[in-house]
């Protein structure tokens, strides 16, 4: 199996047109393609720069000529959850006609879309990319051969992976930014390339405040990491017993 991560700009996608004109992003949480009608049904998280921009973006999306249905399930501040039905795009059709399939959730922002697409054959993947070039702009940002063993490993450990993902999502924006800068700037290296004081200077806060932000982030992540590692050990022992 060949797995491709793609940065895609489609010219016939309602979501791309909407994010091109408004400060909003769409992240798919569920999708289903109806082969009879050749339409894609999705449930998507919508994140906007503000509540006003969210309303404007959803209004523009509903008026798009390639959108057939748009139901809003939830709106809270600058975030919403919507169900949509759109026509099949050229890129979708090209990938389906060549036996390709979606392998992960897609994200749309600033007029571009991040896709994860899989193919069973490498030559077919290359042929599909050539076909896509005719009517779409895209770049392949990552390409990986996935073995059956790797795929089975992901499926077997979906639970622990979901727990770790949940831990990452539990971080606040401040905690995530603080942890990211601390890692990038060498705070956790030996010897340290960054100190609490210098981190505080970067963020314009005291070293105590930086320390508190880091501790909260570490507490949220490390507890889940330890639990996840324990679950992986349990799975490995079960597999050894079966084998």
């Amino acid at each position: 199996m060949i797995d491709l991560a793609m940065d895609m700009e489609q010219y016939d996608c309602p979501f791309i047109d909407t994010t091109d004109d408004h400060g909003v992003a769409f992240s798919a949480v569920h999708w289903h393609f109806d082969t009879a009608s050749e339409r894609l049904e999705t449930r998507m998280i919508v994140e906007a720069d503000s509540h006003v921009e969210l309303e404007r973006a959803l209004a523009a999306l509903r008026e798009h000529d390639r959108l057939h249905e748009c139901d809003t399930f939830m709106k809270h501040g600058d975030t919403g959850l919507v169900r949509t039905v759109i026509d099949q795009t050229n890129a979708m059709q090209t990938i389906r006609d060549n036996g390709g399939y979606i392998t992960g959730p897609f994200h749309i922002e600033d007029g571009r879309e991040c896709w994860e697409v899989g193919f069973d054959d490498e030559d077919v993947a290359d042929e599909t990319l050539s076909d896509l070039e005719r009517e779409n702009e895209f770049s392949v940002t990552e390409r990986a051969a996935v073995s059956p063993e790797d795929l089975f490993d992901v499926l077997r450990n979906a639970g622990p992976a979901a727990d770790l993902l949940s831990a990452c999502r539990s971080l606040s924006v401040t905690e995530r930014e603080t942890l990211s800068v601390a890692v990038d700037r060498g705070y956790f290296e030996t010897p340290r390339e960054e100190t609490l004081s210098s981190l505080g200077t970067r963020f314009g806060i005291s070293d105590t405040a930086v320390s508190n932000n880091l501790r909260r982030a570490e507490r949220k992540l490390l507890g889940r990491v330890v639990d996840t590692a324990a679950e992986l050990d349990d799975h490995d022992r079960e597999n050894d017993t079966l084998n």
Side-chain angles (χ1 to χ4, degrees):
M1 172 183 169
I2 303 299
D3 193 70
L4 304 176
M6 303 174 65
D7 180 20
M8 175 77 69
E9 183 177 1
Q10 303 181 77
Y11 302 123
D12 54 354
C13 176
F15 306 118
I16 285 183
D17 288 345
T18 302
T19 62
D20 208 16
D21 296 333
H22 299 274
V24 66
F26 296 93
S27 299
V29 294
H30 171 266
W31 57 93
H32 169 71
F33 185 78
D34 188 324
T35 56
S37 64
E38 295 191 338
R39 291 177 179 176
L40 178 70
E41 177 183 346
T42 58
R43 283 167 177 76
M44 309 185 81
I45 298 293
V46 191
E47 299 173 284
D49 293 342
S50 66
H51 173 71
V52 172
E53 190 67 357
L54 176 64
E55 296 292 346
R56 289 174 177 169
L58 290 179
L61 179 64
R62 291 189 182 98
E63 293 174 359
H64 199 284
D65 58 3
R66 295 186 63 83
L67 185 124
H68 296 277
E69 298 179 34
C70 183
D71 302 319
T72 302
F73 293 144
M74 178 274 292
K75 281 191 292 187
H76 180 71
D78 57 4
T79 303
L81 174 63
V82 298
R83 169 190 169 274
T84 63
V85 177
I86 68 170
D87 285 328
Q88 176 175 232
T89 65
N90 171 268
M92 290 163 54
Q93 182 176 358
T94 301
I95 289 172
R96 289 186 62 254
D97 287 349
N98 285 277
Y101 40 87
I102 300 297
T103 60
F106 45 92
H107 178 79
I108 310 162
E109 188 172 7
D110 295 330
R112 306 195 70 84
E113 185 169 6
C114 297
W115 280 16
E116 290 189 30
V117 182
F119 294 90
D120 295 327
D121 183 271
E122 187 167 6
D123 290 337
V124 173
D126 291 335
E127 291 171 6
T128 305
L129 294 178
S130 296
D131 291 343
L132 282 172
E133 289 179 341
R134 297 171 187 167
E135 296 189 42
N136 301 275
E137 288 189 19
F138 68 91
S139 60
V140 176
T141 58
E142 190 173 340
R143 180 178 182 133
V146 182
S147 69
E149 291 79 12
D150 291 337
L151 184 59
F152 291 150
D153 189 42
V154 171
L155 294 175
R156 280 195 299 264
N157 297 299
D163 289 340
L164 195 57
L165 180 60
S166 177
C168 293
R169 286 175 172 163
S170 72
L171 296 177
S172 69
V173 173
T174 298
E175 292 162 356
R176 188 162 54 248
E177 289 179 350
T178 304
L179 188 60
S180 177
V181 171
V183 171
D184 290 343
R185 295 294 179 176
Y187 175 77
F188 295 102
E189 299 295 329
T190 303
R192 282 181 171 169
E193 299 173 12
E194 190 90 349
T195 65
L196 288 175
S197 178
S198 58
L199 283 173
T201 300
R202 292 185 187 281
F203 286 103
I205 58 178
S206 68
D207 54 357
T208 300
V210 171
S211 177
N212 289 337
N213 291 336
L214 282 175
R215 287 181 181 276
R216 282 194 297 269
E218 291 170 349
R219 186 165 55 249
K220 289 178 180 180
L221 290 179
L222 289 179
R224 294 289 184 89
V225 169
V226 171
D227 291 343
T228 298
E231 288 187 55
L232 292 175
D233 288 341
D234 290 342
H235 287 185
D236 290 341
R237 282 193 290 270
E238 289 175 4
N239 291 332
D240 290 341
T241 300
L242 293 175
N243 295 331

